[in-house]
Amino acid sequence: MSDHHGDDHAREHDRPLSGPALRARALESLLVEKGLVDPKALDELIDTYQTKVGPRNGAKIVARAWTDPAFKKRLLSDATAAIAEFGFIGRQGEDMVVLENTPKVRNVVVCTLCSCYPWPVLGLPPVWYKSAPYRARAVIDPRGVLKELGSEVPEDVELRVWDSTAELRYLVLPERPAGTEGWSEDELAAIVTRDAMIGVAQVKLPARGKR
Amino acid sequence: MTTSIPPEVDLGALPALPRDDAGPVFSAPWEAQAFAMTLSLHARGVFTWREWADVLAAELAAASARGEPDDGTHYYVHWLAALEKLVAGKKLILGNELERRVDEWDAAARSTPHGKPIELPRRG
C-alpha cells in the first residue's frame, strides 16, 4: 500500500468489485433487505461527514472561547452543553471535555484502543490519528510524537495526554496567538487548525497580509 | 493523566508516524459505506457505542498482534471486519448468509460488462 493517495478512483474502474468493497456491498444489500438500514439515510450520513462536518465546527467553538469569557467558562465547566449551543451534538451520546492549553501546560488527545474522536466538532480523524504508532506512542513518548509532527515542546512545559473513550471525547482549546488582538470571531476561527484542537500543534499567525 | 517516559523504553525502536495533511476523509467509497452502516445501526439502537468501540478495538489489537503494519491506511478494513462480527454477534445476519451474498455480488461483478452498473439478478 504505498500509493494510497491519488488513484483509487481510477482503479475502481479498472477492476471488478473485490476485497472489502465487495464485502461492504454484500453487507449493505443484506441490511437494506432486512430493513435495518435505509440507503438514503446512509447517503445522507456520508454526505454530512464528508462535506458538512469538519474541523471548522471546532474552530468556531475555539474562536468563541477566545473572544467571549462567559462562553469560555461554560465551555470549560460543561463542554457538552456549551457545544450544544452551536447545535453540534454527538450521535454516540458521548460527553465532551475541553482542555485548555496554557503557557505551562499543553494537552494532547489520543485514543489508545481504537480511534474515538470528537466527530461533531472535528469531523473524521486524520489517518495518523488512527494509526498504531500514534495510538501507542502518544502515551509513551508524547514529546517525540509532537516533535515528529512538527511541534517541539520546551522541557519546562508540561504535557498531558488524554485517552478518549466511547463515552468521553476531548477537544483542546489552544492558546490564542499574540498579535490577534481585535480580530473578529470569524478571522480567529480561520486560523484554528484541526491539529491544534487535537493538541499536536499550536495555532500560528498566518504569514503577513493573509488576514 | 500526565505521562513521562519510562527509562526502559527504547525510543529509537518506535515506528514512524504516518502523515497526512488534511487528506481525504475516506479513501474509497466502501469505507464511507462501512462507516455509515455502523452509525446507522447504532442510531437504531442495535448496539451501544461502547459495544462497537470494544469490537473495533479488539479487531485493531488482533491485527497488530498478527504483526500487520498499521499505518492507518487499513483502518477501515478492520472497521468493516468489526462490523461484520458485531452484526453476526447480534444475529442480524445468520450463518453463512453474508458469505453467500458476497459470492453472489462477486459473480454479478464478473459477469457485468465494463462500465455498466453491477446489479444482483432478480430472484424468485
mmCIF file of all heavy atoms in Angstrom, chain B residues 26-55:
data_model
loop_
_atom_site.group_PDB
_atom_site.id
_atom_site.type_symbol
_atom_site.label_atom_id
_atom_site.label_comp_id
_atom_site.label_asym_id
_atom_site.label_seq_id
_atom_site.Cartn_x
_atom_site.Cartn_y
_atom_site.Cartn_z
ATOM 1 N N PHE B 26 -12.347 9.700 3.391
ATOM 2 C CA PHE B 26 -12.436 8.293 3.011
ATOM 3 C C PHE B 26 -11.601 8.109 1.754
ATOM 4 O O PHE B 26 -11.649 8.953 0.857
ATOM 5 C CB PHE B 26 -13.877 7.894 2.704
ATOM 6 C CG PHE B 26 -14.813 8.088 3.876
ATOM 7 C CD1 PHE B 26 -15.790 9.066 3.832
ATOM 8 C CD2 PHE B 26 -14.714 7.288 4.996
ATOM 9 C CE1 PHE B 26 -16.655 9.249 4.906
ATOM 10 C CE2 PHE B 26 -15.577 7.464 6.072
ATOM 11 C CZ PHE B 26 -16.543 8.443 6.027
ATOM 12 N N SER B 27 -10.843 7.012 1.701
ATOM 13 C CA SER B 27 -10.012 6.841 0.516
ATOM 14 C C SER B 27 -10.714 6.008 -0.558
ATOM 15 O O SER B 27 -10.223 5.869 -1.653
ATOM 16 C CB SER B 27 -8.658 6.241 0.878
ATOM 17 O OG SER B 27 -8.831 4.942 1.365
ATOM 18 N N ALA B 28 -11.865 5.431 -0.235
ATOM 19 C CA ALA B 28 -12.660 4.710 -1.231
ATOM 20 C C ALA B 28 -14.115 4.734 -0.785
ATOM 21 O O ALA B 28 -14.392 4.824 0.417
ATOM 22 C CB ALA B 28 -12.168 3.273 -1.352
ATOM 23 N N PRO B 29 -15.035 4.628 -1.740
ATOM 24 C CA PRO B 29 -16.455 4.698 -1.373
ATOM 25 C C PRO B 29 -16.877 3.643 -0.340
ATOM 26 O O PRO B 29 -17.694 3.926 0.531
ATOM 27 C CB PRO B 29 -17.180 4.478 -2.701
ATOM 28 C CG PRO B 29 -16.199 4.883 -3.748
ATOM 29 C CD PRO B 29 -14.841 4.570 -3.196
ATOM 30 N N TRP B 30 -16.302 2.448 -0.423
ATOM 31 C CA TRP B 30 -16.734 1.408 0.522
ATOM 32 C C TRP B 30 -16.413 1.785 1.962
ATOM 33 O O TRP B 30 -17.120 1.361 2.883
ATOM 34 C CB TRP B 30 -16.139 0.043 0.159
ATOM 35 C CG TRP B 30 -14.662 -0.079 0.410
ATOM 36 C CD1 TRP B 30 -13.664 0.109 -0.494
ATOM 37 C CD2 TRP B 30 -14.021 -0.404 1.650
ATOM 38 N NE1 TRP B 30 -12.441 -0.064 0.115
ATOM 39 C CE2 TRP B 30 -12.630 -0.385 1.415
ATOM 40 C CE3 TRP B 30 -14.485 -0.700 2.935
ATOM 41 C CZ2 TRP B 30 -11.701 -0.649 2.429
ATOM 42 C CZ3 TRP B 30 -13.549 -0.970 3.938
ATOM 43 C CH2 TRP B 30 -12.179 -0.949 3.681
ATOM 44 N N GLU B 31 -15.375 2.580 2.178
ATOM 45 C CA GLU B 31 -15.039 2.988 3.545
ATOM 46 C C GLU B 31 -16.163 3.849 4.117
ATOM 47 O O GLU B 31 -16.571 3.690 5.268
ATOM 48 C CB GLU B 31 -13.727 3.779 3.570
ATOM 49 C CG GLU B 31 -12.527 2.950 3.166
ATOM 50 C CD GLU B 31 -11.212 3.725 3.276
ATOM 51 O OE1 GLU B 31 -11.248 4.941 3.568
ATOM 52 O OE2 GLU B 31 -10.163 3.117 3.080
ATOM 53 N N ALA B 32 -16.658 4.742 3.285
ATOM 54 C CA ALA B 32 -17.773 5.595 3.699
ATOM 55 C C ALA B 32 -19.011 4.746 3.976
ATOM 56 O O ALA B 32 -19.755 4.983 4.935
ATOM 57 C CB ALA B 32 -18.067 6.629 2.620
ATOM 58 N N GLN B 33 -19.199 3.718 3.124
ATOM 59 C CA GLN B 33 -20.346 2.814 3.265
ATOM 60 C C GLN B 33 -20.281 2.073 4.613
ATOM 61 O O GLN B 33 -21.268 2.002 5.343
ATOM 62 C CB GLN B 33 -20.230 1.790 2.137
ATOM 63 C CG GLN B 33 -21.487 1.365 1.474
ATOM 64 C CD GLN B 33 -21.134 0.402 0.335
ATOM 65 O OE1 GLN B 33 -19.981 0.254 -0.081
ATOM 66 N NE2 GLN B 33 -22.155 -0.269 -0.162
ATOM 67 N N ALA B 34 -19.112 1.542 4.934
ATOM 68 C CA ALA B 34 -18.940 0.801 6.184
ATOM 69 C C ALA B 34 -19.167 1.725 7.378
ATOM 70 O O ALA B 34 -19.821 1.369 8.363
ATOM 71 C CB ALA B 34 -17.538 0.189 6.248
ATOM 72 N N PHE B 35 -18.640 2.926 7.275
ATOM 73 C CA PHE B 35 -18.785 3.929 8.323
ATOM 74 C C PHE B 35 -20.263 4.263 8.549
ATOM 75 O O PHE B 35 -20.773 4.228 9.675
ATOM 76 C CB PHE B 35 -18.001 5.175 7.904
ATOM 77 C CG PHE B 35 -18.205 6.359 8.799
ATOM 78 C CD1 PHE B 35 -17.498 6.470 9.982
ATOM 79 C CD2 PHE B 35 -19.086 7.373 8.442
ATOM 80 C CE1 PHE B 35 -17.683 7.573 10.810
ATOM 81 C CE2 PHE B 35 -19.271 8.473 9.260
ATOM 82 C CZ PHE B 35 -18.571 8.570 10.444
ATOM 83 N N ALA B 36 -20.959 4.537 7.461
ATOM 84 C CA ALA B 36 -22.355 4.965 7.558
ATOM 85 C C ALA B 36 -23.259 3.834 8.046
ATOM 86 O O ALA B 36 -24.194 4.070 8.820
ATOM 87 C CB ALA B 36 -22.843 5.488 6.207
ATOM 88 N N MET B 37 -22.979 2.597 7.632
ATOM 89 C CA MET B 37 -23.794 1.466 8.115
ATOM 90 C C MET B 37 -23.678 1.359 9.636
ATOM 91 O O MET B 37 -24.669 1.119 10.333
ATOM 92 C CB MET B 37 -23.305 0.149 7.479
ATOM 93 C CG MET B 37 -23.789 -0.060 6.067
ATOM 94 S SD MET B 37 -23.453 -1.758 5.500
ATOM 95 C CE MET B 37 -21.772 -1.607 4.897
ATOM 96 N N THR B 38 -22.475 1.551 10.134
ATOM 97 C CA THR B 38 -22.247 1.437 11.574
ATOM 98 C C THR B 38 -23.025 2.512 12.334
ATOM 99 O O THR B 38 -23.719 2.225 13.311
ATOM 100 C CB THR B 38 -20.740 1.565 11.884
ATOM 101 O OG1 THR B 38 -20.034 0.636 11.067
ATOM 102 C CG2 THR B 38 -20.443 1.290 13.339
ATOM 103 N N LEU B 39 -22.922 3.756 11.857
ATOM 104 C CA LEU B 39 -23.631 4.847 12.533
ATOM 105 C C LEU B 39 -25.136 4.632 12.480
ATOM 106 O O LEU B 39 -25.857 4.901 13.439
ATOM 107 C CB LEU B 39 -23.284 6.187 11.876
ATOM 108 C CG LEU B 39 -22.239 7.013 12.631
ATOM 109 C CD1 LEU B 39 -20.911 6.292 12.664
ATOM 110 C CD2 LEU B 39 -22.089 8.383 12.009
ATOM 111 N N SER B 40 -25.572 4.147 11.344
ATOM 112 C CA SER B 40 -26.995 3.962 11.122
ATOM 113 C C SER B 40 -27.551 2.859 12.036
ATOM 114 O O SER B 40 -28.615 3.022 12.648
ATOM 115 C CB SER B 40 -27.181 3.589 9.650
ATOM 116 O OG SER B 40 -28.456 3.869 9.238
ATOM 117 N N LEU B 41 -26.829 1.752 12.141
ATOM 118 C CA LEU B 41 -27.281 0.663 13.020
ATOM 119 C C LEU B 41 -27.249 1.111 14.483
ATOM 120 O O LEU B 41 -28.137 0.776 15.267
ATOM 121 C CB LEU B 41 -26.402 -0.578 12.838
ATOM 122 C CG LEU B 41 -26.582 -1.325 11.520
ATOM 123 C CD1 LEU B 41 -25.531 -2.423 11.372
ATOM 124 C CD2 LEU B 41 -27.984 -1.931 11.410
ATOM 125 N N HIS B 42 -26.234 1.887 14.827
ATOM 126 C CA HIS B 42 -26.172 2.402 16.195
ATOM 127 C C HIS B 42 -27.363 3.308 16.485
ATOM 128 O O HIS B 42 -27.980 3.239 17.548
ATOM 129 C CB HIS B 42 -24.866 3.158 16.447
ATOM 130 C CG HIS B 42 -24.885 3.908 17.747
ATOM 131 N ND1 HIS B 42 -25.179 5.253 17.816
ATOM 132 C CD2 HIS B 42 -24.725 3.483 19.015
ATOM 133 C CE1 HIS B 42 -25.169 5.611 19.085
ATOM 134 N NE2 HIS B 42 -24.887 4.579 19.835
ATOM 135 N N ALA B 43 -27.696 4.146 15.508
ATOM 136 C CA ALA B 43 -28.814 5.076 15.690
ATOM 137 C C ALA B 43 -30.131 4.327 15.898
ATOM 138 O O ALA B 43 -31.035 4.818 16.571
ATOM 139 C CB ALA B 43 -28.916 6.017 14.483
ATOM 140 N N ARG B 44 -30.244 3.121 15.316
ATOM 141 C CA ARG B 44 -31.446 2.305 15.522
ATOM 142 C C ARG B 44 -31.453 1.605 16.865
ATOM 143 O O ARG B 44 -32.410 0.899 17.198
ATOM 144 C CB ARG B 44 -31.522 1.202 14.452
ATOM 145 C CG ARG B 44 -32.000 1.634 13.117
ATOM 146 C CD ARG B 44 -32.021 0.410 12.223
ATOM 147 N NE ARG B 44 -33.128 -0.479 12.574
ATOM 148 C CZ ARG B 44 -34.278 -0.458 11.947
ATOM 149 N NH1 ARG B 44 -34.484 0.385 10.972
ATOM 150 N NH2 ARG B 44 -35.235 -1.287 12.303
ATOM 151 N N GLY B 45 -30.330 1.731 17.589
ATOM 152 C CA GLY B 45 -30.262 1.085 18.900
ATOM 153 C C GLY B 45 -29.872 -0.381 18.823
ATOM 154 O O GLY B 45 -30.072 -1.139 19.767
ATOM 155 N N VAL B 46 -29.313 -0.796 17.672
ATOM 156 C CA VAL B 46 -28.924 -2.196 17.506
ATOM 157 C C VAL B 46 -27.769 -2.555 18.444
ATOM 158 O O VAL B 46 -27.671 -3.665 18.944
ATOM 159 C CB VAL B 46 -28.556 -2.470 16.027
ATOM 160 C CG1 VAL B 46 -27.912 -3.825 15.865
ATOM 161 C CG2 VAL B 46 -29.796 -2.340 15.151
ATOM 162 N N PHE B 47 -26.880 -1.596 18.662
ATOM 163 C CA PHE B 47 -25.814 -1.809 19.642
ATOM 164 C C PHE B 47 -25.453 -0.472 20.268
ATOM 165 O O PHE B 47 -25.785 0.580 19.723
ATOM 166 C CB PHE B 47 -24.569 -2.451 18.999
ATOM 167 C CG PHE B 47 -24.147 -1.830 17.695
ATOM 168 C CD1 PHE B 47 -23.460 -0.616 17.663
ATOM 169 C CD2 PHE B 47 -24.427 -2.463 16.493
ATOM 170 C CE1 PHE B 47 -23.068 -0.053 16.459
ATOM 171 C CE2 PHE B 47 -24.037 -1.898 15.276
ATOM 172 C CZ PHE B 47 -23.347 -0.684 15.260
ATOM 173 N N THR B 48 -24.780 -0.529 21.407
ATOM 174 C CA THR B 48 -24.339 0.714 22.046
ATOM 175 C C THR B 48 -22.996 1.098 21.462
ATOM 176 O O THR B 48 -22.299 0.260 20.884
ATOM 177 C CB THR B 48 -24.159 0.550 23.566
ATOM 178 O OG1 THR B 48 -23.066 -0.357 23.793
ATOM 179 C CG2 THR B 48 -25.413 0.017 24.224
ATOM 180 N N TRP B 49 -22.620 2.342 21.629
ATOM 181 C CA TRP B 49 -21.331 2.769 21.084
ATOM 182 C C TRP B 49 -20.188 2.108 21.831
ATOM 183 O O TRP B 49 -19.126 1.854 21.277
ATOM 184 C CB TRP B 49 -21.205 4.293 21.090
ATOM 185 C CG TRP B 49 -20.210 4.716 20.062
ATOM 186 C CD1 TRP B 49 -18.960 5.208 20.276
ATOM 187 C CD2 TRP B 49 -20.356 4.605 18.640
ATOM 188 N NE1 TRP B 49 -18.319 5.413 19.074
ATOM 189 C CE2 TRP B 49 -19.156 5.053 18.059
ATOM 190 C CE3 TRP B 49 -21.391 4.159 17.795
ATOM 191 C CZ2 TRP B 49 -18.953 5.085 16.675
ATOM 192 C CZ3 TRP B 49 -21.197 4.182 16.425
ATOM 193 C CH2 TRP B 49 -19.992 4.649 15.881
ATOM 194 N N ARG B 50 -20.390 1.808 23.085
ATOM 195 C CA ARG B 50 -19.380 1.091 23.859
ATOM 196 C C ARG B 50 -19.147 -0.303 23.263
ATOM 197 O O ARG B 50 -18.020 -0.728 23.069
ATOM 198 C CB ARG B 50 -19.842 1.020 25.331
ATOM 199 C CG ARG B 50 -19.166 -0.006 26.217
ATOM 200 C CD ARG B 50 -17.663 0.054 26.256
ATOM 201 N NE ARG B 50 -17.122 1.335 26.680
ATOM 202 C CZ ARG B 50 -15.831 1.664 26.581
ATOM 203 N NH1 ARG B 50 -14.954 0.831 26.076
ATOM 204 N NH2 ARG B 50 -15.417 2.834 26.981
ATOM 205 N N GLU B 51 -20.246 -0.992 22.927
ATOM 206 C CA GLU B 51 -20.099 -2.320 22.311
ATOM 207 C C GLU B 51 -19.296 -2.212 21.019
ATOM 208 O O GLU B 51 -18.405 -3.013 20.747
ATOM 209 C CB GLU B 51 -21.479 -2.922 21.983
ATOM 210 C CG GLU B 51 -22.244 -3.434 23.179
ATOM 211 C CD GLU B 51 -23.627 -3.951 22.764
ATOM 212 O OE1 GLU B 51 -24.483 -3.138 22.345
ATOM 213 O OE2 GLU B 51 -23.830 -5.162 22.846
ATOM 214 N N TRP B 52 -19.628 -1.179 20.236
ATOM 215 C CA TRP B 52 -18.934 -1.003 18.969
ATOM 216 C C TRP B 52 -17.447 -0.728 19.195
ATOM 217 O O TRP B 52 -16.581 -1.344 18.581
ATOM 218 C CB TRP B 52 -19.569 0.138 18.163
ATOM 219 C CG TRP B 52 -18.661 0.598 17.072
ATOM 220 C CD1 TRP B 52 -17.991 1.780 17.001
ATOM 221 C CD2 TRP B 52 -18.271 -0.154 15.915
ATOM 222 N NE1 TRP B 52 -17.207 1.817 15.880
ATOM 223 C CE2 TRP B 52 -17.360 0.645 15.203
ATOM 224 C CE3 TRP B 52 -18.592 -1.430 15.425
ATOM 225 C CZ2 TRP B 52 -16.771 0.220 14.003
ATOM 226 C CZ3 TRP B 52 -18.009 -1.855 14.239
ATOM 227 C CH2 TRP B 52 -17.117 -1.038 13.540
ATOM 228 N N ALA B 53 -17.151 0.183 20.113
ATOM 229 C CA ALA B 53 -15.751 0.547 20.351
ATOM 230 C C ALA B 53 -14.963 -0.671 20.819
ATOM 231 O O ALA B 53 -13.809 -0.858 20.438
ATOM 232 C CB ALA B 53 -15.667 1.677 21.376
ATOM 233 N N ASP B 54 -15.603 -1.530 21.632
ATOM 234 C CA ASP B 54 -14.900 -2.722 22.124
ATOM 235 C C ASP B 54 -14.570 -3.685 20.983
ATOM 236 O O ASP B 54 -13.473 -4.224 20.911
ATOM 237 C CB ASP B 54 -15.756 -3.439 23.182
ATOM 238 C CG ASP B 54 -15.787 -2.667 24.505
ATOM 239 O OD1 ASP B 54 -14.963 -1.743 24.658
ATOM 240 O OD2 ASP B 54 -16.629 -2.983 25.361
ATOM 241 N N VAL B 55 -15.548 -3.909 20.087
ATOM 242 C CA VAL B 55 -15.313 -4.840 18.978
ATOM 243 C C VAL B 55 -14.244 -4.279 18.042
ATOM 244 O O VAL B 55 -13.333 -4.996 17.609
ATOM 245 C CB VAL B 55 -16.627 -5.106 18.194
ATOM 246 C CG1 VAL B 55 -16.362 -5.993 16.985
ATOM 247 C CG2 VAL B 55 -17.659 -5.752 19.103
#
